[in-house]
Amino acid sequence: MPIEPDSDRRDPMRARYEELAELAGSLAHEIKNPLSVIHMNIDLLSEDLAEVDSPISRRCLDRVDIVRGQCERMEALLRDFLRYTRLTDIDLVSGSLNDQIETVLRAYQAQADADDIDIEKYLDADLPAIKMHSDSLQAALMNLVKNALESMDRGGQLWARTYTTRGGVALDLIDTGSGVDDNTAMHMFEPFYSTKEGGSGLGLPTARKIIEAHGGRISVQSEVERGTKFTLEFPVPKRLSGK
């Protein structure tokens, strides 16, 4: 059975969640500024220490590198979090889902070639247009494709397939990677849930929010050591009848 993110039908709780998300976003923005100052001064301190060749300065440089690494990790986490909290209403225009996935796959073709991964495309040439925001949709697709490639160590296959459904259009992304267990599949769309070392746990939740902002939905099927399939479904706008 495909696993889909739970939908929140409790309006008061959703309003409370949105209020907290806005507050958290503001807090993250306030943290970002002093963190940038810390990072800048760590870089300057590193330059000063590099001019002094002594055992003490070398030990200090090692510690400065540790602090710099943690600053960069926190800055990346804040960028992901701010991107997640800012996803609300977006302006949608008519566009091609095929074009979007083609662009993303081209961007990752070199990485796939280097890792001996075959990318196969089965894109419906007659696929109807959908209402989309190109930049954000590409960001969601890039996250999914990147995850798929990273799940395959050396060699494998990634299939991208588009097709029409009763209510719109759909995209399947299927890989032959390591897969995940049922528990991970159930929680992978939750913010900050990650099985990756150093992962922010916001990539898939952000992709989900983007897809839902397009009026769509995402589901996942996975099996350990066999691979994962993500299915994205989007509505097709009704044609104006002129009546």
Side-chain angles (χ1 to χ4, degrees), residues 95-113:
S96 167
L97 180 59
N98 283 348
D99 288 349
Q100 298 299 305
I101 189 60
E102 286 265 26
T103 298
V104 171
L105 293 177
R106 278 197 301 270
Y108 282 100
Q109 187 64 59
Q111 179 181 334
D113 291 342

Side-chain angles (χ1 to χ4, degrees), residues 29-169:
H29 187 76
E30 291 302 316
I31 294 172
K32 182 181 176 182
N33 291 331
L35 186 60
S36 296
V37 174
I38 293 170
H39 193 173
M40 179 184 67
N41 281 276
I42 284 293
D43 287 339
L44 294 173
L45 179 60
S46 179
E47 292 174 5
D48 292 341
L49 289 171
E51 295 178 358
V52 182
D53 187 14
S54 70
I56 293 177
S57 67
R58 286 193 290 273
R59 285 197 302 273
C60 290
L61 274 172
D62 289 340
R63 292 165 183 166
V64 164
D65 286 341
I66 292 171
V67 175
R68 180 192 291 112
Q70 292 302 308
C71 278
E72 291 172 351
R73 181 171 180 270
M74 286 298 297
E75 285 171 339
L77 177 60
L78 286 171
R79 282 195 301 270
D80 289 344
F81 184 71
L82 287 169
R83 188 180 300 117
Y84 177 77
T85 57
R86 287 170 180 165
L87 278 170
T88 52
D89 295 329
I90 53 178
D91 293 327
L92 304 179
V93 298
S94 182
S96 167
L97 180 59
N98 283 348
D99 288 349
Q100 298 299 305
I101 189 60
E102 286 265 26
T103 298
V104 171
L105 293 177
R106 278 197 301 270
Y108 282 100
Q109 187 64 59
Q111 179 181 334
D113 291 342
D115 293 335
D116 295 323
I117 296 171
D118 294 325
I119 296 178
E120 301 287 345
K121 294 175 288 187
Y122 302 94
L123 308 181
D124 184 352
D126 298 320
L127 199 72
I130 64 172
K131 302 290 280 185
M132 67 169 64
H133 181 265
S134 180
D135 289 345
S136 63
L137 183 55
Q138 280 190 30
L141 295 175
M142 290 181 81
N143 183 277
L144 295 172
V145 170
K146 179 175 179 287
N147 283 351
L149 296 179
E150 290 177 349
S151 73
M152 297 178 273
D153 291 332
R154 292 291 300 178
Q157 290 181 302
L158 172 63
W159 292 278
R161 178 173 70 118
T162 59
Y163 52 96
T164 58
T165 65
R166 180 175 297 181
V169 302

